[in-house]
Amino acid sequence: MKKLLVIIFVFLIQFVNAQDQELIRAKRFFDKTYYSEAIILYQKLAETKPSQEVIKNLADSYYYTNDLIKAQRYYRLLVTNYNKDLDRQYYFRYAQTLKASNSYADANVVLKEYYSKSANSQDSVYFQKELKELENVSAIGNRFDIKNLAINTPNSEFGAVKYKDNLVFAGVKLKPGLFDKKYKWDNETYLNLIKVPVENSNSAETIVTYFADELKTGVHEANAIFTKDGKTIYFTRNNSKNGSKKKNDQKISNLQIFKAELVEGKWKNIVSLPFNSPNYSVEHPALSADEKVLYFASDMPGSLGSFDIYSVNINRGAFDTPKNLGPIINTDKREQFPFVSDDNKLYFSSDGHLGYGSLDVFVSDITGNEYSKPTNIGLPLNSNLDDFSFNINSNTKEGYFASNREGGKGSDDIYQFKEIKDLIVEDCKQFIAGTITDIDTKLALENATVILQDSENKTLNTITTSADGKFSFTVACEAAYKVSAFKEKYTNESVTLSLDKTRNKTSDASLALKSVDAIKLEEKENAEKKRKQEIIIEEENKKKEALAAVQLKEKEKKAKEAAIVAAEVKKNEKVKQILEQEKDVIKDDKNRLIIKTDPIYFDYNMWYIRKESKVVLSRVVFLMNKYPGMVIEIGSHTDSRGNAKFNEDLSQKRASSTREFIIQSGINANRVTAKGYGESVPIIKCKTDDACSEEDHELNRRSEFVIKNL
């Protein structure tokens, strides 16, 4: 067991040592810019022993070999997991890889972070301005027709220029030989200047040849330019002598610009320009229209970024001291591949000025020794990847550039283009327009004042309308505006508009004003109309009140009638009930409900209640106690004998005496009325007193107990 542990321990030490050795080797390749070989080692280390250095160098290796999609993955890991004290340049590179995958919104978020980490607080402001300018360039639309040349291969081709009847450009062999050296930066064979007849450049069957054997070496040759007489060439080549690469103390062979002259059909007098150095690169030559100034890119001391654009005056074949074009053109990033057109415009590629991704082509106007602020030349020539080695014939608007964009045949392809739209960069604008009219007549109002204000009520413009009443303002997009209209003897009106970002859109802000005279007339008419309406309403209210009164009266009448009917029904029910239950209660021939009793006798001409009559009346009292709602009338009658007035008074006294007895027996006085009828209501009518018998007169002398209510 102890022996096994020792073996495992030794194995682990060897494994760790092997990993350390791999890390050292990877770092050595990386420092030598052998990125293709560094990637292989760093990829393994990223899986087994990841660290900030491993992830950072692996991301950079992919970035420098233009595999931006793979670089994106590792830059994301870097800024997510190793962002403490991370150099802000890595945010910039991460943003470039995001653009490579068309993730522009995410890229702008990362760039915002990048600029926020700058020591210069104005960088963030500048970034926002550049974003807006790029949006304005995009708004132009496609400015170029572009075409991928048929001569392109899976390898790199770029730097195409016309020379006599040929198209000269940089490229590598499609099928490199067994002993051809490879450039360890990207593992391709070295570049050479090659050519093809211009008329055959769009033919896939065209055979390319080396431009000039005398210029071909075992190192890079690229980016050739020629003087207008065709007798002088400037081109880029690795630092070399007699075709052999020369390296500096860091073992790097930097690029230099060489010059050669055409003598008897051969390129001779090949010399390195005097401002070249083994310690920095000088590359991508370009000539001014008058050929008195040579432009180039370099990372020489004094450069603002990794590469800057320089110029150097040429005096009778001699070169002055190169000048950096300064911060208007150059940034702290890459500015390369200058080109000057015959109309005195400087074109160059940059990833420091805000673009669509990686290197974009920019243009600056040259006025004497001054350069205008560079402008992105737009779509679709610029893309989300590298676009460079641009040149244009300012008369025909045609030219060439190179790009490694998606859809090409290789890593870098040559494209032919024609400019079809001018580069007119404008801020997004819209129009606010309309007509001022009379709201009643619908006619246009002349001499109306129309005022345009911003969201803070600041007056931006004022217009006085002509006979057609029309107005129009040109305004910026994505803002709020207030339009107000005024005219003497008219009301004032206004409208507020919030504009979107649609370019050249017209928003209608027409306003209709009302005449003061029309308002007064309307007020008078409205007052009269109101008065008439009030009268009508008053009359209608009276009618309604009268109708309501009639309806109420009718309702009350119906209610009374219903109550009477109900009472009558109830009474009839009670009558029926009492008739069924009380034998002493009957209906007479007059349909009266009466209490039938034995006769009540009074002494002659007297009205007090006799003893025997009290017994009879007690029956009446009994029934009234039994039926508390019973109300009776005591009707007292006499015979016809005697004076009628006397008889009436006597009957009244007898009725009242009877009533008094009933009340004294405990019946409420309100339930009993007494009426003396005298001789007026006889049962038997007697023509004379002697015509009736004593029995007849006795029948007429009676007391009746009529039930009035139950």
Side-chain angles (χ1 to χ4, degrees):
M1 183 65 182
K2 186 176 180 180
K3 185 176 181 181
L4 178 61
L5 290 175
V6 171
I7 293 172
I8 293 173
F9 181 71
V10 171
F11 175 76
L12 288 174
I13 292 175
Q14 291 176 337
F15 178 73
V16 170
N17 287 335
Q19 283 191 322
D20 290 341
Q21 289 300 316
E22 291 285 271
L23 184 61
I24 293 170
R25 287 182 62 217
K27 183 68 165 59
R28 186 184 302 119
F29 285 137
F30 183 83
D31 291 341
K32 288 183 176 182
T33 69
Y34 294 177
Y35 297 119
S36 296
E37 295 184 23
I39 285 172
I40 297 171
L41 299 176
Y42 277 131
Q43 190 69 61
K44 293 179 180 178
L45 289 168
E47 296 172 359
T48 59
K49 192 179 181 181
S51 66
Q52 181 176 12
E53 180 185 357
V54 168
I55 300 301
K56 183 171 62 175
N57 288 354
L58 178 57
D60 282 346
S61 296
Y62 279 125
Y63 184 81
Y64 292 138
T65 54
N66 275 321
D67 194 341
L68 300 187
I69 302 304
K70 288 183 179 177
Q72 181 183 133
R73 174 190 175 189
Y74 293 102
Y75 282 133
R76 182 182 291 110
L77 284 173
L78 191 64
V79 301
T80 301
N81 300 321
Y82 304 98
N83 56 7
K84 186 178 180 181
D85 301 325
L86 184 65
D87 191 303
R88 60 190 289 262
Q89 297 302 325
Y90 289 96
Y91 289 90
F92 176 83
R93 294 172 192 168
Y94 180 33
Q96 295 297 80
T97 67
L98 288 168
K99 288 183 180 183
S101 60
N102 294 309
S103 302
Y104 286 102
D106 292 339
N108 288 335
V109 170
V110 175
L111 282 174
K112 188 175 181 180
E113 180 76 9
Y114 165 75
Y115 285 108
S116 71
K117 293 179 180 294
S118 171
N120 186 351
S121 60
Q122 291 302 307
D123 280 356
S124 292
V125 177
Y126 181 73
F127 169 61
Q128 293 300 327
K129 288 182 178 179
E130 285 210 317
L131 267 181
K132 185 176 181 181
E133 180 171 322
L134 190 62
E135 182 178 315
N136 292 337
V137 171
S138 299
I140 301 172
N142 288 345
R143 293 191 58 240
F144 304 90
D145 284 334
I146 64 173
K147 182 178 183 180
N148 187 293
L149 292 184
I151 57 173
N152 289 311
T153 71
N155 295 318
S156 291
E157 292 85 25
F158 63 93
V161 294
K162 286 184 178 180
Y163 178 68
K164 298 181 179 179
D165 295 331
N166 292 312
L167 191 66
V168 179
F169 57 95
V172 300
K173 286 185 178 181
L174 182 60
K175 295 181 180 179
L178 179 63
F179 299 104
D180 284 332
K181 291 183 179 180
K182 290 186 177 181
Y183 182 37
K184 293 186 179 181
W185 178 296
D186 54 9
N187 220 24
E188 285 191 349
T189 55
Y190 281 83
L191 295 166
N192 293 113
L193 292 177
I194 52 182
K195 68 178 180 179
V196 64
V198 172
E199 62 181 5
N200 296 333
S201 60
N202 274 309
S203 172
E205 305 301 323
T206 300
I207 298 175
V208 299
T209 58
Y210 289 116
F211 170 66
D213 289 336
E214 58 269 30
L215 298 179
K216 181 181 178 298
T217 65
V219 296
H220 286 303
E221 281 93 24
N223 300 105
I225 59 163
F226 300 90
T227 54
K228 292 178 180 178
D229 62 9
K231 294 181 179 180
T232 303
I233 182 175
Y234 296 89
F235 63 97
T236 304
R237 172 188 281 174
N238 283 106
N239 180 18
S240 60
K241 186 175 182 181
N242 299 324
S244 298
K245 184 189 297 184
K246 296 180 66 178
K247 297 181 180 180
N248 59 17
D249 294 340
Q250 287 76 40
K251 297 184 178 181
I252 295 174
S253 176
N254 282 306
L255 297 176
Q256 297 183 345
I257 295 177
F258 286 77
K259 174 185 175 184
E261 295 174 342
L262 187 64
V263 179
E264 297 178 352
K266 295 288 184 179
W267 293 102
K268 299 180 180 180
N269 305 324
I270 303 171
V271 295
S272 173
L273 296 189
F275 44 82
N276 288 326
S277 169
N279 298 317
Y280 54 80
S281 286
V282 178
E283 59 188 23
H284 311 153
L287 284 170
S288 62
D290 60 8
E291 300 184 351
K292 293 181 179 180
V293 179
L294 179 72
Y295 292 85
F296 60 90
S298 176
D299 60 348
M300 66 175 59
S303 297
L304 304 179
S306 62
F307 277 90
D308 284 0
I309 306 297
Y310 286 80
S311 67
V312 59
N313 293 329
I314 304 173
N315 294 313
R316 298 180 181 180
F319 295 91
D320 291 345
T321 302
K323 296 179 182 179
N324 188 299
L325 296 194
I328 291 179
I329 299 298
N330 295 312
T331 69
D332 61 350
K333 301 297 184 299
R334 288 187 297 164
E335 279 72 44
Q336 297 173 291
F337 300 98
F339 170 78
V340 179
S341 60
D342 287 342
D343 56 352
N344 226 27
K345 295 181 185 295
L346 170 66
Y347 294 86
F348 62 97
S349 289
S350 170
D351 62 6
H353 298 285
L354 191 64
Y356 297 100
S358 295
L359 290 174
D360 272 15
V361 180
F362 292 81
V363 62
S364 171
D365 292 322
I366 304 173
T367 305
N369 294 322
E370 302 293 328
Y371 300 87
S372 67
K373 181 182 178 300
T375 302
N376 191 297
I377 66 171
L379 301 169
L381 193 143
N382 284 326
S383 69
N384 61 334
L385 294 175
D386 284 328
D387 307 291
F388 58 100
S389 67
F390 174 97
N391 65 80
I392 186 172
N393 184 316
S394 55
N395 294 317
T396 64
K397 302 294 183 181
E398 295 176 339
Y400 300 91
F401 74 102
S403 177
N404 62 344
R405 68 186 61 198
E406 186 178 358
K409 296 185 180 71
S411 57
D412 295 313
D413 282 358
I414 298 171
Y415 289 79
Q416 186 177 25
F417 72 84
K418 182 174 179 63
E419 186 178 20
I420 57 175
K421 282 185 182 179
D422 292 335
L423 183 60
I424 301 174
V425 183
E426 297 177 319
D427 286 340
C428 178
K429 69 176 184 295
Q430 291 189 17
F431 306 98
I432 296 177
T435 306
I436 307 301
T437 58
D438 185 304
I439 195 171
D440 297 307
T441 65
K442 312 301 180 187
L443 297 176
L445 291 180
E446 186 177 5
N447 294 325
T449 301
V450 186
I451 298 176
L452 175 70
Q453 294 175 304
D454 62 16
S455 58
E456 298 179 351
N457 293 324
K458 179 182 177 182
T459 298
L460 304 177
N461 202 350
T462 301
I463 290 176
T464 300
T465 59
S466 55
D468 60 6
K470 295 185 180 300
F471 68 90
S472 180
F473 298 109
T474 301
V475 294
C477 302
E478 295 186 279
Y481 298 93
K482 180 180 179 182
V483 177
S484 304
F486 308 85
K487 182 173 171 61
E488 187 177 358
K489 294 185 179 182
Y490 276 84
T491 58
N492 304 330
E493 295 294 339
S494 64
V495 63
T496 299
L497 302 172
S498 293
L499 307 187
D500 58 19
K501 63 191 299 183
T502 306
R503 291 173 180 260
N504 299 318
K505 177 182 176 181
T506 299
S507 296
D508 184 19
S510 296
L511 292 169
L513 311 186
K514 194 168 187 67
S515 166
V516 174
D517 292 339
I519 292 174
K520 291 179 179 178
L521 179 60
E522 283 186 4
E523 288 175 348
K524 182 178 179 181
E525 291 175 347
N526 289 337
E528 182 64 24
K529 184 178 179 181
K530 182 179 179 182
R531 189 184 67 81
K532 290 180 179 179
Q533 190 67 28
E534 288 174 348
I535 293 173
I536 291 171
I537 292 172
E538 186 178 351
E539 292 296 328
E540 289 180 349
N541 288 339
K542 287 180 179 180
K543 290 179 181 179
K544 289 178 181 178
E545 289 173 1
L547 178 61
V550 170
Q551 290 174 340
L552 179 61
K553 191 172 182 180
E554 185 67 25
K555 184 178 180 181
E556 289 175 348
K557 180 181 177 183
K558 289 181 178 180
K560 286 180 180 180
E561 290 175 350
I564 291 170
V565 171
E568 188 66 25
V569 170
K570 187 175 181 181
K571 180 180 177 182
N572 290 337
E573 289 177 352
K574 286 185 178 182
V575 168
K576 182 180 178 182
Q577 181 183 5
I578 200 169
L579 287 173
E580 291 175 351
Q581 295 179 358
E582 307 297 337
K583 60 183 178 59
D584 293 335
V585 179
I586 63 171
K587 273 191 177 183
D588 65 4
D589 55 357
K590 295 179 182 178
N591 204 30
R592 295 182 305 167
L593 194 65
I594 62 175
I595 300 173
K596 183 181 178 182
T597 65
D598 292 336
I600 305 291
Y601 294 108
F602 295 93
D603 290 337
Y604 183 73
N605 288 337
M606 297 304 290
W607 56 84
Y608 61 87
I609 302 299
R610 290 166 56 173
K611 184 177 181 180
E612 63 271 23
S613 295
K614 291 180 180 179
V615 176
V616 175
L617 289 175
S618 63
R619 178 61 182 167
V620 174
V621 172
F622 171 79
L623 287 173
M624 291 190 76
N625 282 326
K626 185 176 181 180
Y627 298 99
M630 183 183 288
V631 177
I632 66 170
E633 179 190 86
I634 303 170
S636 183
H637 301 268
T638 66
D639 59 25
S640 60
R641 292 177 293 187
N643 182 274
K645 172 62 176 164
F646 175 82
N647 286 336
E648 183 180 345
D649 290 340
L650 179 62
S651 64
Q652 184 61 49
K653 289 177 180 178
R654 288 176 174 174
S656 296
S657 179
T658 304
R659 176 176 179 271
E660 187 65 27
F661 176 82
I662 293 173
I663 292 171
Q664 289 176 355
S665 299
I667 302 303
N668 190 294
N670 292 331
R671 296 174 63 194
V672 187
T673 59
K675 176 69 175 174
Y677 290 94
E679 59 185 71
S680 63
V681 188
I683 294 175
I684 298 173
K685 292 183 179 181
C686 301
K687 291 183 179 180
T688 65
D689 291 342
D690 295 335
C692 289
S693 66
E694 188 61 32
E695 290 80 6
D696 293 335
H697 286 300
E698 188 175 342
L699 285 173
N700 285 336
R701 291 194 306 271
R702 66 194 186 277
S703 287
E704 295 176 334
F705 299 93
V706 180
I707 299 173
K708 292 294 187 179
N709 203 346
L710 288 172

